[in-house]
Amino acid sequence: MTGVAPEPGVVPGRVRNRADHAAGDPADQAAVEDRVAVDPVEQAAVGDHTTGDPADKAAVGSAEVLPESVDAALSTALAQAVEATGAYGGVIYLRSPDRRTLVLTKVAGLSVSLVDPFGRLPVGGALPAAEAYRTGRIVFLADADETMRRYPQLALGMPYAFSSATAALRGRGESYGAIALLWPAAPGGELSGARRRRLRAACVRLGIALADLAAHGVPVEYDGTPTAAPLWAPVLSPIRVGLFDWDIDTGAFQADPEMCRLFGIEPEAFDGRAATLAARVVTGGGREFREAARRAVETGRVLAWRLHIETPGGVTRLLEVWGRVPAHGPPTHLVGVVLDLGFGAAAAEAVERLHDGVFSLDPEGRIMYANRNLQGMVDARLEDVVGRTPWEALPWLADPAYEDHYRAAMLSQQPGAFLARTPHDRWLAFSLYPDPYGLTGKVVPVGPPPGAQDRPAGREPPAPGGVRVGPGPADRETESAPEPKHEPEPEPVYAAPARPGAIYHILQMAGALTEAVTVDEVCQVVAEQLLSAFGGQELAVYVVRDGKFFLARQTGYREGFLDRFEGVSNEENLPGVEALTHGAPIFFESVADLLSAYPDIPVDDMCSWAFLPLIASDRPVGSCIVGFDRRHVFTSEERSVLTALSGLIAQALERARLYDAEFALARGLQHALLPHRLPRLSYLEVAARYLPGTQGMEIGGDWYDVIDNGETVSLVIGDVEGHNVAAAATMGQLRSAVRAFAAAGTSPDQVVRSTNQQLADLDPGLFASCCYLELDPHAGVVRAVRAGHVPPVLREPDGTVRPLDIPGGTILGVDRDCEYPVTEVPLAPGAVVALYTDGLVENPGTDIEDGIARLRRSLSSAPHESVSDLADRIVRDAGRISERADDVAVLLARWTGDSGDSGDSGDSGDSGDSRDFGGTGEAGESGEAGETGDAPTRGEGGSRDGRAGNQA
């Protein structure tokens, strides 16, 4: 931070005006989007430290201590970025040593407590700083509505009206962290080009500086607590100081040049006499000087002696004199200082004359000043509250709602107001006026709000949310024994509610867990949220089955360390076990504490632990263990938050276990109902593929089948609505019905009609679509029937691809008496028929015709591929769609032109190629079709199921 050097004797109250510094900003003139020359001034501020500062070397090895050169670079860059962009505040995040977390490092223009809930962010989290760090893009949020829409977790913790822009700190091709700047809300606004350029310029310069520091061995990762970066504040009247040495006996008066100027005398013209200075005093003159001298001789000092002096130009100035008699000097010798209070004293006196209460808070929310009237209103002395926040100093303001008004005013930079009631049943109206350097408040007595007077006095806490834990007047009224007269009333005691930061952690975890469905997903959320929020390095989640503990997920433990605990009984003497059996968390802040309670327990490299019981609806679910590699003191708030979070985790795990059980049942049912192998036919090459959707239960009612009827072969595909066990069960019933009707030699239209009637009779409350093809190899003809299903696609031997125009009936289960027409389609040898479900061609926001066109391109792109490779290609293309609401089933058949008279037929030997890709990232034995994302988002890591034979 630089500024104009003050003239001798001047102590600047605040540094120069922000607007003066921003004039002619070189960043706005020289910066471009991605290539920015390093400003020489800033290079001097941040680059000269790369030569190996001893303090930096001392910091190596401790990520909790920020090296001085890094601290200076961050503070300078953040202050300059805030000023250059006109922001009112900003923060800087640095990556942690393990690079899994972004750690809040520097805060400017804001109270650290305001952003403390976001002190640690998982790198993969859905928050602006994490996204900017990962992608390198600037993330701009115009107001609270946009924040809620795009980043609901951020809005949970900071539901206030402000706009922000967040950018990555990158240098020499590497990301080191992120910077975020804040402005008042601008609904519907955009980040201006000038601000964008200046923000990017600041990021590039700081990123390069961090890269250079890292290249010289200075650690640029951080894992400590955030610190404030000072901002350039508006200029106030400076405090001028003069020094003097006064010999009271002789009247000789030695004054430094600044004191001479304060009395309106040029230093070279001062004659060294006290009388000369006394002549400048407006009232009292020499008498006041003599009175001050007498008091100094009697008491040995002069305290706050105020003088009004008049300069030769007629200007009246208020001075304050402080002096003392030196300990080893004559008693008539006085040394001291003269202060020019400027406008400060006059302002303070003006405020003291007001009938309203007035107070001032610093950027951290601490009380720096309160006038006498306010002290009377709140019944507190200034010395008892100064340096403390209002909600700490005054218990009746401890409710988070009051602190939230302060947070809203500071983050929105807009005035705010609220009502509060004192313990003496007095209502006060608070008005808040913020700026980036603090907050001024005004307090006036008011009448009670409507309805307040109807509540009996003493029947409720004086402030909303406070909890009375000591006896009060209301308690005495209900006691049967009379109270002794004249006994003084005890002061009521209030239990402080949870701070907003604690509430945020609970809300954030709750929000993240609502999106987790499986046990693995719940454990992943827990690992990301807990370790990032509390700075832990290890986490293990155990679940209980049949009285034994089994590891569900672990992060950070060395390989094999937890093997010895697998399957331990719930009667073992272990902290994780006893936390669950006793239903209470256990905290150890040192290795000695742990070994004192459990002498035989194996210990790794951690220093502190939290063992949390996971209990849902009085049912033991498991235990969660969090380890810290440095000594961690668990505050009462942390213990409360971790205990609350353990309840949320337990509920989510219990829900996920039920989901997993239902999912396993449904998947097993679906695997059992789909064909395990397809028939091998000399005249027909067939291949089938199944791909679950990426949403919901990951199971559905899509099915396919190939039925060898001897003289003909039937190809069938269908889709039952829904994605649950009922859909899978209905699918099995329909597949069995179609197979039975087809095996009986029934005509295609009658097969579909009978299946429709059976579904209507079963009345499962579900409908289904179906496409049924009967191939006659002797005639080279396909007889097709369609019941509300997407049309099949035909690829001719020359590569021409077209959808088949097949008139159809309604979907199955709607009209029991519906008729289904038959359409004959001639086939040429080598032609390929593609049957598929609508999940292949329907995507949100696109027309189904576009999906069919995409399928046609896939079929025509490789005319010489086998049907198995062609099926893999189709599934691979579908797998590129990250959000598929529906399942995908594909059945391909190529007629070779043979009549089938001389070839083998039946289910023995090699079979057609049928593959189910639910729970795997593979689409074939080679895995080619799965490499672009055909695996569902849930159930990763499972083995391939439903593999039905080799390629025909």
Side-chain angles (χ1 to χ4, degrees), residues 628-794:
F628 301 81
D629 63 0
R630 291 180 296 275
R631 180 178 173 84
H632 188 92
V633 177
F634 297 94
T635 65
S636 58
E637 180 175 296
E638 276 189 330
R639 294 172 185 242
S640 298
V641 172
L642 286 169
T643 302
L645 292 178
S646 67
L648 293 177
I649 296 168
Q651 294 287 347
L653 272 177
E654 185 69 0
R655 183 188 69 243
R657 287 172 62 174
L658 294 174
Y659 173 92
D660 284 351
E662 183 180 356
F663 173 75
L665 172 64
R667 286 294 289 162
L669 175 62
Q670 187 177 42
H671 291 168
L673 296 177
L674 286 173
H676 287 205
R677 62 177 60 215
L678 300 178
R680 176 181 177 272
L681 302 169
S682 61
Y683 56 86
L684 196 67
E685 182 184 355
V686 293
R689 299 289 184 269
Y690 177 82
L691 188 65
T694 62
Q695 302 173 0
M697 279 289 292
E698 202 179 292
I699 63 168
D702 291 16
W703 94 92
Y704 56 84
D705 208 350
V706 178
I707 307 166
D708 182 10
N709 302 316
E711 295 295 321
T712 62
V713 62
S714 298
L715 309 173
V716 60
I717 197 164
D719 182 5
V720 179
E721 65 171 332
H723 297 83
N724 48 37
V725 175
T730 302
M731 173 267 285
Q733 292 173 316
L734 292 181
R735 176 174 174 259
S736 299
V738 170
R739 176 171 279 273
F741 294 138
T746 310
S747 63
D749 57 329
Q750 188 59 41
V751 168
V752 176
R753 182 179 180 184
S754 298
T755 304
N756 175 51
Q757 291 172 345
Q758 177 146 338
L759 180 60
D761 293 340
L762 290 172
D763 191 21
L766 299 173
F767 305 113
S769 64
C770 176
C771 186
Y772 182 92
L773 273 65
E774 183 184 76
L775 170 63
D776 184 347
H778 300 281
V781 172
V782 165
R783 287 179 283 274
V785 177
R786 195 163 62 90
H789 202 80
V790 288
V793 174
L794 175 66

Side-chain angles (χ1 to χ4, degrees), residues 64-350:
E64 292 182 319
V65 179
L66 199 62
E68 289 186 7
S69 56
V70 178
D71 187 280
L74 298 180
S75 295
T76 301
L78 182 56
Q80 291 177 345
V82 167
E83 185 169 3
T85 60
Y88 67 76
V91 299
I92 287 180
Y93 286 90
L94 290 183
R95 67 191 184 193
S96 62
D98 60 12
R99 304 196 178 185
R100 296 186 305 186
T101 305
L102 293 178
V103 180
L104 183 64
T105 308
K106 281 290 175 183
V107 180
L110 298 167
S111 166
V112 173
S113 64
L114 290 177
V115 290
D116 185 62
F118 295 92
R120 304 178 63 86
L121 309 177
V123 166
L127 290 166
E131 182 173 326
Y133 175 82
R134 295 193 308 267
T135 65
R137 296 193 297 267
I138 292 178
V139 179
F140 176 70
L141 301 173
D143 55 17
D145 290 341
E146 185 174 3
T147 302
M148 176 61 77
R149 186 173 65 254
R150 295 175 57 188
Y151 300 98
Q153 289 188 12
L154 175 60
L156 282 175
M158 301 177 71
Y160 310 113
F162 64 90
S163 63
S164 65
T166 309
L169 296 174
R170 289 190 170 184
R172 316 295 186 199
E174 190 167 355
S175 292
Y176 294 95
I179 183 172
L181 302 180
L182 283 70
W183 299 269
E190 296 181 356
L191 185 64
S192 69
R195 283 180 173 173
R196 182 180 294 272
R197 289 191 301 273
R198 294 179 182 186
L199 172 58
R200 192 177 291 277
C203 291
V204 171
R205 284 193 293 269
L206 181 55
I208 292 173
L210 292 174
D212 292 342
L213 287 164
H216 285 80
V218 180
V220 294
E221 285 90 11
Y222 190 55
D223 203 17
T225 56
T227 56
L231 292 179
W232 293 285
V235 173
L236 296 181
S237 177
I239 300 174
R240 304 176 66 186
V241 180
L243 306 177
F244 68 85
D245 187 324
W246 183 11
D247 189 331
I248 298 173
D249 280 343
T250 65
F253 202 104
Q254 297 181 32
D256 73 345
E258 185 60 26
M259 181 170 176
C260 293
R261 295 189 186 97
L262 289 176
F263 276 80
I265 303 173
E266 290 299 324
E268 59 274 9
F270 180 50
D271 59 8
R273 296 186 310 115
T276 303
L277 299 177
R280 298 289 188 182
V281 180
V282 175
T283 58
R287 180 183 58 79
E288 288 198 11
F289 264 65
R290 288 191 298 273
E291 180 63 22
R294 184 186 62 77
R295 289 198 303 268
V297 171
E298 292 176 355
T299 64
R301 58 184 179 175
V302 174
L303 299 178
W305 171 32
R306 290 192 175 184
L307 301 172
H308 285 87
I309 62 98
E310 184 175 354
T311 65
V315 177
T316 300
R317 178 177 290 140
L318 177 63
L319 302 181
E320 190 169 274
V321 181
W322 294 72
R324 65 179 177 83
V325 175
H328 303 292
T332 59
H333 192 70
L334 190 66
V335 296
V337 298
V338 175
L339 307 178
D340 177 7
L341 301 179
F343 303 114
E349 291 174 353

Side-chain angles (χ1 to χ4, degrees), residues 3-74:
V4 179
E7 55 183 296
V10 175
V11 179
R14 294 194 182 179
V15 188
R16 57 201 172 92
N17 197 304
R18 293 158 55 104
D20 296 337
H21 181 84
D25 186 353
D28 190 30
Q29 301 167 14
V32 292
E33 279 294 304
D34 293 307
R35 298 190 309 174
V36 182
V38 180
D39 188 304
V41 176
E42 294 181 4
Q43 182 63 40
V46 298
D48 291 345
H49 300 280
T50 62
T51 56
D53 191 314
D56 293 345
K57 294 180 180 178
V60 174
S62 176
E64 292 182 319
V65 179
L66 199 62
E68 289 186 7
S69 56
V70 178
D71 187 280
L74 298 180

